[in-house]
Amino acid sequence: MSMSGASRRTGPGAERLVVIGGDAAGMSAASQARRMKGPDELEIVAFERGHFTSYSACGIPYWVGGDVTERDRLIARTPEEHRARDIDLRMRTEVTEIDVERRRVRARDVDSGAESWTSYDKLVIATGARPIRPDMPGADAPGVHGVQTLDDGQALLDTLARTRGRRAVVVGAGYIGVEMAEALINRGYEVTVVNRGSEPMSTLDPDMGRLVHEAMEGLGVTMVNDAAVTKLLTGDAGRVRAVVTDDAEYPADVVVLGIGVRPETDLAKAAGLPLGTHGGLLTDLAMRVRGHEDIWAGGDCVEVLDLVSGQERHIALGTHANKHGQVIGTNAGGGYATFPGVVGTAVSKVCDLEIARTGLREKDARRVGLQFESVTVESTSRAGYYPGASSMTVKMLAERRTGRLLGVQIVGREGAGKRVDIAAVALTAGMTVEQMTALDLGYAPPFSPVWDPVLVAARKAVAKVRAS
């Protein structure tokens, strides 16, 4: 075991920036810091325990399902491209300890087991998130897969290629579970989704989740709601063979865990860095870890401020991770940037059904003590007389008395999902539903009715707020 000290500095007066994690937040931070300062001023060392860097984890279900034909299409920048920018990127190297007092990290070569210490002047923690694995028998059996990294996606595809049976069970019906169910249907599997909630997509209110339920069944997925998994049974060679709930047993040749993810913060916790109620690192607006001037954190391992509720929350999305990285890299490179927070916007699809949400659900609003009015409208993506017009459902929440927009959920066909961006901008600006009714949105029959569906919901919300 090697426990060598820091490697030679690039320049005699250069500071060293160490980055833990080679995906969106980490390498965006490294790349931005390099734009701010050259190698004679700032040495950058980055550690990545996997085989890939700077890739789209959000694209993995589409790769597994065959919509994306090549894995490398999900990779934005290779290790070689990062190294060409004077970033000392060390692949298959896992950081196992952060020594805050002595300003160094211990790293282990995954293949050889050799370990070494590397000192830092500035540190970026971008360790991401890990799939939640239920604490129950069989959860770690061969044939059971979480899907968070490209390595995870490759492992699942390898299992699918080796598996003769065609029965798949997806545990959980959030974004990952729903997208993986469709991917497995596309691969020719019989798919059952076992979901603890009353409807799929717990990021929506149940009445909107019901629309997703119907679409999944139309796709050929067997939906099992209000069902908690108690154990996973194994058979030959210890491989998974069934998923068990309190009421039934579902045969499975492969199991995909779509329960969600947790911040990967074991390193940070062991180092005594501050964590929030969701287990993510806590940072200030500049993405500095609170109480630590020269340590930043970003991506799926942090908690972010919800601008609507005013509370911290954990959201694992590549859009946020890349923005965090830009902010961190700017600050670590001597500039100034901030990340003010999020409104909780997300979009997904099941076959041709588009699913979108932003802001608060009903239970979110109740939890933070907000009183609200809720409206739901049915409209179309285009003028009703124009060919290809399809239906969509828009649900809107507005604060009682003030009329402040609190949240929007949209489920519909082509043209529905990205309409949520109108609401995301309105939420960020703190607009009321009455102010929204005057928004000057683009109109032509191929794109929208005269009254856009979001504005129809806003008008209905105004009337309900006034009557309350």
Side-chain angles (χ1 to χ4, degrees):
M1 180 178 70
S2 169
M3 296 296 287
S4 61
S7 58
R8 181 180 63 83
R9 300 283 170 122
T10 305
E15 291 185 306
R16 177 181 288 144
L17 172 67
V18 167
V19 178
I20 307 173
D23 196 12
M27 297 318 294
S28 290
S31 298
Q32 178 63 11
R34 174 56 72 228
R35 294 185 194 100
M36 301 289 292
K37 287 186 175 180
D40 289 338
E41 296 180 280
L42 184 69
E43 179 189 6
I44 303 175
V45 180
F47 296 98
E48 168 54 44
R49 66 186 177 190
H51 293 87
F52 310 98
T53 59
S54 300
Y55 57 85
S56 171
C58 300
I60 293 173
Y62 308 108
W63 169 39
V64 172
D67 295 314
V68 177
T69 55
E70 299 175 14
R71 179 188 64 202
D72 289 354
R73 293 178 65 86
L74 300 181
I75 299 172
R77 192 166 292 164
T78 65
E80 292 73 24
E81 289 172 319
H82 285 299
R83 291 173 185 137
R85 298 181 175 216
D86 293 306
I87 296 171
D88 180 2
L89 175 56
R90 304 176 188 181
M91 300 298 294
R92 301 288 290 158
T93 308
E94 181 177 14
V95 173
T96 58
E97 183 180 352
I98 301 170
D99 185 343
V100 174
E101 185 175 346
R102 300 178 68 176
R103 300 170 75 90
R104 61 180 187 166
V105 301
R106 174 162 45 188
R108 178 179 64 87
D109 185 289
V110 173
D111 299 315
S112 71
E115 294 187 333
S116 63
W117 287 100
T118 301
S119 62
Y120 66 81
D121 299 293
K122 299 175 179 180
L123 177 67
V124 176
I125 302 172
T127 45
R130 63 180 182 273
I132 296 172
R133 283 187 176 264
D135 184 15
M136 64 181 63
D140 295 318
V144 179
H145 292 266
V147 185
Q148 179 67 13
T149 67
L150 276 193
D151 289 286
D152 294 336
Q154 187 63 63
L156 173 59
L157 282 172
D158 292 344
T159 292
L160 297 179
R162 294 191 304 263
T163 301
R164 279 184 268 179
R166 310 303 290 176
R167 297 168 301 183
V169 174
V170 178
V171 181
Y175 287 106
I176 296 172
V178 165
E179 290 172 352
M180 289 309 304
E182 181 179 356
L184 291 164
I185 285 282
N186 291 345
R187 287 277 174 184
Y189 278 74
E190 298 175 19
V191 179
T192 299
V193 175
V194 180
N195 176 37
R196 292 189 62 156
S198 60
E199 296 292 355
M201 300 294 292
S202 62
T203 52
L204 304 176
D205 288 322
D207 55 333
M208 299 294 280
R210 180 68 194 176
L211 302 176
V212 181
H213 181 162
E214 293 168 357
M216 293 182 71
E217 290 187 332
L219 193 62
V221 174
T222 300
M223 281 298 309
V224 182
N225 291 317
D226 294 314
V229 175
T230 57
K231 60 184 174 181
L232 280 68
L233 300 181
T234 55
D236 296 340
R239 281 188 55 81
V240 69
R241 67 173 180 85
V243 172
V244 180
T245 68
D246 288 330
D247 303 317
E249 180 179 310
Y250 301 94
D253 301 298
V254 62
V255 173
V256 176
L257 302 176
I259 306 171
V261 297
R262 289 194 182 101
E264 184 71 86
T265 50
D266 290 347
L267 268 179
K269 183 178 181 180
L273 300 178
L275 304 182
T277 56
H278 304 283
L281 277 156
L282 296 176
T283 69
D284 62 17
L285 292 175
M287 302 307 297
R288 280 188 177 86
V289 174
R290 294 179 191 175
H292 297 268
E293 183 67 21
D294 293 317
I295 303 178
W296 289 264
D300 294 354
C301 66
V302 305
E303 295 187 14
V304 293
L305 176 64
D306 186 312
L307 297 173
V308 186
S309 70
Q311 297 189 346
E312 304 288 340
R313 61 186 299 192
H314 177 246
I315 303 178
L317 278 177
T319 50
H320 302 161
N322 280 285
K323 291 171 187 173
H324 295 169
Q326 288 288 308
V327 169
I328 291 168
T330 298
N331 292 323
Y336 172 69
T338 61
F339 183 80
V342 304
V343 293
T345 308
V347 64
S348 187
K349 77 176 188 71
V350 179
C351 197
D352 64 342
L353 186 75
E354 300 180 5
I355 308 155
R357 58 73 50 90
T358 189
L360 306 182
R361 299 164 297 179
E362 290 188 1
K363 67 178 183 180
D364 299 324
R366 292 189 187 100
R367 187 177 62 247
V368 298
L370 290 169
Q371 294 189 8
F372 60 89
E373 300 294 341
S374 169
V375 299
T376 302
V377 302
E378 303 286 338
S379 187
T380 56
S381 59
R382 304 172 179 177
Y385 56 80
Y386 194 88
S390 59
S391 64
M392 75 173 69
T393 304
V394 180
K395 182 173 183 177
M396 183 173 289
L397 272 63
E399 186 176 14
R400 187 171 292 173
R401 188 175 60 80
T402 69
R404 177 171 67 108
L405 179 68
L406 296 180
V408 170
Q409 300 163 40
I410 304 175
V411 177
R413 260 66 191 185
E414 181 184 1
K418 287 295 284 180
R419 271 186 165 84
V420 80
D421 290 342
I422 303 167
V425 172
L427 282 168
T428 304
M431 295 178 70
T432 67
V433 288
E434 186 161 6
Q435 289 171 326
M436 287 182 68
T437 63
L439 287 174
D440 186 11
L441 304 182
Y443 162 69
F447 303 107
S448 171
V450 171
W451 280 93
D452 187 272
V454 173
L455 300 191
V456 173
R459 289 180 67 187
K460 190 171 180 179
V462 169
K464 199 162 184 182
V465 167
R466 287 175 176 171
S468 63

